Amino acid sequence: MEYVILAVVIAVVAVGAIAGLVVSGRRRQQLPPKSQAPVITAPPTPREPAVGEEAAPPTEEPRRTVEEVELPEAEAEAVPGPSVAEEVPALDVPEPTAGRLVRLRSRLSRSQNSLGKGLLSLLSREHLDEDTWEEIEETLLIADVGVAPTQELVERLRTRVKVLGTRTPDELRGLLREELVELIGKDADRTVHSTRHEEGPAVVLVVGVNGVGKTTTTGKLARVLVADGRTVVLGAADTFRAAAADQLQTWGERVGARTVRGPEGGDPASIAFDAVKEGIAEGVDTVLVDTAGRLHTKTGLMDELGKVKRVIEKHGPVDEVLLVLDATTGQNGLVQARVFAEVVDITGIVLTKLDGTAKGGIVVAVQRELGVPVKLIGLGEGADDLAPFEPGAFVDALIGD
């Protein structure tokens, strides 16, 4: 009996011990290990609501092994080369001025038919009576030679024809050539004074009324000077006509001449002053100043032209004042010439559009009116159609071969 009780007690104790071990093991599994430090993680970044393809569940994409992927061939790195400067447009090479009038003689065909050939036809008549001489005088007047020069020429022709007696075509042509050259004046100084001097560059002031082609003539004159070996600065003092400065600058860029300009409607005298100042600083040979095409009837504008000249003279003398006249205006051009001559001292005349008129005698009339020579004539719209005036070549073009 004692053995039975002892066995029961041992069994109870064993069961209790086993139960305690089980409970202790469960508690140890629930507690974290004491040696592990806590890990702090940042809260997940909030994402914007997915749209379109992003809203769809991720799909399994086929994957390729390294061997299957074709790597691009290595490209040679581009080595930066020297920077290429922008191409500068080639400058124009103006035609030489020597003999230019001879090359352009065909442009005087209209004046040739009315003046030269007309006079030769009349002088070749068998009998030169009073009616014929009156026709000769009328032909000269229609050609704008002027009253006084016409009377002088007719009187000289009558005397020489009477003395010669015979009048072959060659003799008449030679006679007429001599008298016309004498009438135009072969000894006048027709040089455009554009050579640099001790005081600085030569200054050429270009004046004239609206519509005579003054700005174009200034640009063509720059080409004439460059062709003769001069360096040039242009002054765009015509601030009243829209795009006049742009037009002049385009002419200058063609031959490498710099243009000094100002704001539209600015002070012309100030721009002219700056142009001469720039010419002095750059050491050029010639400064060409294009003035506004002012009407000769506007007294205030003419006074301003005088101001431009006076302001330029603060740097030094004005070497040339060239008056540009439209040959087609005839006697009206002489009125313009007189008014301009009262404001500034005209030193030379430029006759434009002489190829489009039958009145070649305007060369004689304007010289007699002003007492200054024609130095340049325009015989077309081409860039090199401005020619130095040569009396002999001009008369030869009028009377033909």
Side-chain angles (χ1 to χ4, degrees):
M1 193 63 183
E2 293 178 359
Y3 293 107
V4 174
I5 295 171
L6 181 62
V8 172
V9 172
I10 293 171
V12 172
V13 173
V15 171
I18 294 171
L21 292 173
V22 171
V23 173
S24 176
R26 288 183 178 177
R27 288 180 179 177
R28 290 175 181 173
Q29 290 179 355
Q30 292 178 356
L31 293 175
K34 296 181 179 180
S35 60
Q36 186 174 358
V39 178
I40 301 174
T41 58
T45 304
R47 297 182 60 187
E48 296 181 358
V51 179
E53 295 180 355
E54 295 182 0
T59 58
E60 186 69 22
E61 295 182 359
R63 298 183 179 181
R64 293 183 292 174
T65 63
V66 176
E67 291 78 5
E68 294 174 345
V69 177
E70 295 181 359
L71 298 177
E73 295 182 0
E75 297 182 359
E77 295 184 1
V79 180
S83 59
V84 181
E86 296 182 0
E87 293 186 2
V88 179
L91 299 179
D92 291 353
V93 180
E95 294 181 5
T97 59
R100 186 179 287 187
L101 181 55
V102 176
R103 296 193 299 272
L104 299 172
R105 61 184 301 173
S106 61
R107 308 289 178 85
L108 292 169
S109 58
R110 294 183 63 186
S111 293
Q112 180 188 73
N113 292 333
S114 63
L115 181 57
K117 291 185 176 180
L119 290 177
L120 283 174
S121 176
L122 292 171
L123 290 171
S124 299
R125 290 182 179 178
E126 185 176 354
H127 299 288
L128 295 178
D129 53 17
E130 288 298 322
D131 292 339
T132 302
W133 286 112
E134 288 181 3
E135 288 184 50
I136 293 173
E137 185 172 335
E138 183 180 354
T139 300
L140 292 168
L141 291 174
I142 291 175
D144 272 341
V145 173
V147 176
T150 293
Q151 292 175 346
E152 179 183 328
L153 179 59
V154 169
E155 188 62 31
R156 291 175 64 87
L157 285 173
R158 293 185 71 164
T159 301
R160 295 195 64 178
V161 168
K162 184 176 181 180
V163 170
L164 286 174
T166 59
R167 300 186 303 277
T168 65
D170 290 340
E171 289 175 337
L172 287 174
R173 182 175 288 104
L175 173 63
L176 185 58
R177 183 185 189 281
E178 291 177 8
E179 293 301 329
L180 286 175
V181 170
E182 186 68 26
L183 191 65
I184 292 173
K186 57 184 178 180
D187 298 327
D189 181 12
R190 302 182 188 277
T191 305
V192 177
H193 298 285
S194 57
T195 305
R196 181 180 176 84
H197 38 71
E198 294 181 359
E199 292 82 2
V203 179
V204 179
L205 190 64
V206 183
V207 301
V209 300
N210 294 314
V212 297
K214 182 174 47 54
T215 300
T216 299
T217 299
T218 305
K220 290 182 179 181
L221 178 55
R223 295 179 65 89
V224 169
L225 298 178
V226 170
D228 290 339
R230 305 281 193 273
T231 52
V232 180
V233 164
L234 298 172
D238 184 355
T239 60
F240 295 97
R241 185 171 66 86
D246 293 336
Q247 181 183 358
L248 188 64
Q249 183 171 349
T250 300
W251 279 102
E253 289 173 348
R254 292 176 180 175
V255 292
R258 181 176 177 184
T259 301
V260 177
R261 54 186 298 178
E264 185 174 344
D267 182 16
S270 175
I271 296 171
F273 182 87
D274 291 342
V276 178
K277 181 180 179 181
E278 185 68 23
I280 294 173
E282 294 189 6
V284 300
D285 297 312
T286 314
V287 177
L288 291 177
V289 180
D290 177 33
T291 60
R294 52 202 79 242
L295 296 174
H296 63 278
T297 55
K298 300 291 183 66
T299 305
L301 293 178
M302 296 301 292
D303 291 343
E304 186 177 295
L305 178 59
K307 174 188 173 184
V308 170
K309 186 173 183 290
R310 291 192 301 272
V311 168
I312 292 176
E313 289 173 338
K314 293 181 179 180
H315 286 299
V318 175
D319 299 84
E320 288 276 6
V321 179
L322 298 178
L323 174 63
V324 181
L325 294 176
D326 185 342
T328 63
T329 59
Q331 295 299 316
N332 186 43
L334 299 182
V335 176
Q336 299 172 13
R338 282 195 293 267
V339 176
F340 275 96
E342 293 174 0
V343 179
V344 290
D345 296 327
I346 305 297
T347 60
I349 302 163
V350 183
L351 278 176
T352 64
K353 307 177 186 179
L354 199 56
D355 59 316
T357 177
K359 300 182 178 182
I362 189 66
V363 172
V364 177
V366 73
Q367 289 186 146
R368 289 293 184 93
E369 181 68 32
L370 294 182
V372 296
V374 171
K375 295 191 173 184
L376 298 158
I377 57 175
L379 294 170
E381 298 180 358
D384 292 324
D385 289 345
L386 186 69
F389 184 73
E390 305 170 30
F394 179 74
V395 171
D396 288 339
L398 288 182
I399 64 179
D401 296 329

